[in-house]
Amino acid sequence: VNAWFGSHDKLTMSRRFLAEAFEIDSLSDSGSVAYLGDSPNDAPMFEGFPNGIGVANVMAYAKIMAHLPRYVTKTEGGLGFAEFANAVLTAKGA
């Protein structure tokens, strides 16, 4: 269940967290951030971070999402996350 009261979105709080915890200005340096999501409430994050990644099941919601990820994994759910993590580790030579 994903619910909240009042004005809230992941993008606003993610930008705040990046600034406060890592001193990253996500507005001017959004290309250095990758975001992985799987549902319609991730659309603002896909808009805010150009390196958005969706696990495969996100495409079931494509018609109702204002912003889609740039990349989509081949596999769904946790396997999609593992697919992305393996791609990052491989790219880093780990």
Side-chain angles (χ1 to χ4, degrees):
V1 174
N2 187 6
W4 59 84
F5 295 98
S7 178
H8 166 80
D9 68 77
K10 291 180 182 182
L11 183 58
T12 300
M13 291 311 296
S14 294
R15 286 187 168 145
R16 181 176 174 183
F17 174 74
L18 289 169
E20 292 179 6
F22 299 106
E23 298 181 357
I24 295 173
D25 179 354
S26 63
L27 291 173
S28 64
D29 200 17
S30 63
S32 68
V33 177
Y35 176 78
L36 185 69
D38 68 348
S39 64
N41 71 350
D42 294 312
M45 296 293 283
F46 296 142
E47 177 186 23
F49 297 109
N51 295 321
I53 301 99
V55 295
N57 46 294
V58 75
M59 296 312 293
Y61 306 106
K63 290 182 180 180
I64 64 168
M65 292 176 66
H67 304 282
L68 295 172
R70 178 178 283 182
Y71 308 99
V72 177
T73 63
K74 294 177 184 169
T75 53
E76 297 184 350
L79 293 176
F81 177 81
E83 179 185 332
F84 170 70
N86 284 331
V88 169
L89 292 173
T90 299
K92 290 186 72 90

